Amino acid sequence: MLQEESPRIVELDLGHKLTTTGGGQLLMDEHGCHVLMPAMDDLGVLDVTFVACTQSIFGYPNDEAQGGHPLARGLAYGVYEVFGSDWAQRLEQQNRVCFPDVRWAPKRHFLMLMHESMGEFLADDVRVEFHSNTLRAGDYDRIAHQVLQQALDATMPTMLPHHQIDRLPS
């Protein structure tokens, strides 16, 4: 009987450290996923983008309970890649019920650990954009609105109707 190998987890250097307080704000449509959070090493906001995100899990557990999560045990705040994950294969198998001949392009499994939450993301890539090093009142909302507007302007369709985004504060 073959024994399954445990996933290998590698921390990614994204050029900024995640804050040690609070959590992130998840903004997602069917083609991308953004986690906005204060930057620890600068006064600004990080937009951690999971490109072409197929599925995400976001929220519980916080840092006190992350030791009970099989992938997060013993890890510090940060963004990691999980090698040897079967997440994409499980979704592809589910998809074969209706589409037996369709094969998916490879996806990567990312893990993001924060103080008040964690996230897992099945996506093509991850990138970070740093916004402003001198935050003023309302800047966080402005940046969130900008990220949502960029999703609307993308060439791929979004699930968020344009009339809803137009009502957000600028």
Side-chain angles (χ1 to χ4, degrees):
M1 179 190 217
L2 292 176
Q3 198 165 358
E4 267 187 48
E5 288 187 35
S6 296
R8 187 172 56 93
I9 301 167
V10 176
E11 186 170 14
L12 302 177
D13 181 1
L14 301 177
H16 294 277
K17 296 227 181 274
L18 301 187
T19 184
T20 58
T21 60
Q25 178 181 15
L26 178 67
L27 305 172
M28 184 175 182
D29 67 15
E30 64 185 90
H31 301 289
C33 187
H34 301 262
V35 178
L36 298 180
M37 63 186 315
M40 182 172 153
D41 47 357
D42 296 297
L43 295 174
V45 175
L46 295 180
D47 173 5
V48 182
T49 302
F50 296 93
V51 179
C53 187
T54 300
Q55 191 173 45
S56 68
I57 302 168
F58 188 82
Y60 182 84
N62 64 3
D63 63 341
E64 286 94 355
Q66 285 173 1
H69 188 284
L71 297 176
R73 193 172 296 128
L75 300 178
Y77 303 137
V79 178
Y80 299 83
E81 184 164 358
V82 181
F83 294 94
S85 169
D86 68 347
W87 190 1
Q89 289 78 19
R90 285 185 285 122
L91 294 182
E92 186 175 353
Q93 285 176 344
Q94 292 171 10
N95 195 55
R96 284 188 191 146
V97 171
C98 290
F99 306 102
D101 299 324
V102 174
R103 298 294 178 260
W104 287 13
K107 290 285 185 175
R108 297 165 66 189
H109 183 170
F110 298 100
L111 182 67
M112 185 174 184
L113 303 178
M114 298 161 280
H115 182 69
E116 293 300 333
S117 56
M118 69 173 275
E120 291 186 69
F121 306 90
L122 190 62
D124 287 353
D125 200 6
V126 61
R127 66 174 187 250
V128 174
E129 187 175 347
F130 176 75
H131 294 272
S132 180
N133 59 2
T134 54
L135 286 180
R136 297 180 308 272
D139 281 354
Y140 197 89
D141 292 341
R142 179 187 53 76
I143 293 166
H145 183 260
Q146 176 184 335
V147 167
L148 288 172
Q149 188 62 53
Q150 287 170 349
L152 288 173
D153 294 341
T155 56
M156 292 185 189
T158 180
M159 292 179 69
L160 185 62
H162 284 262
H163 70 276
Q164 289 182 358
I165 192 73
D166 290 339
R167 288 188 257 159
L168 294 173
S170 49

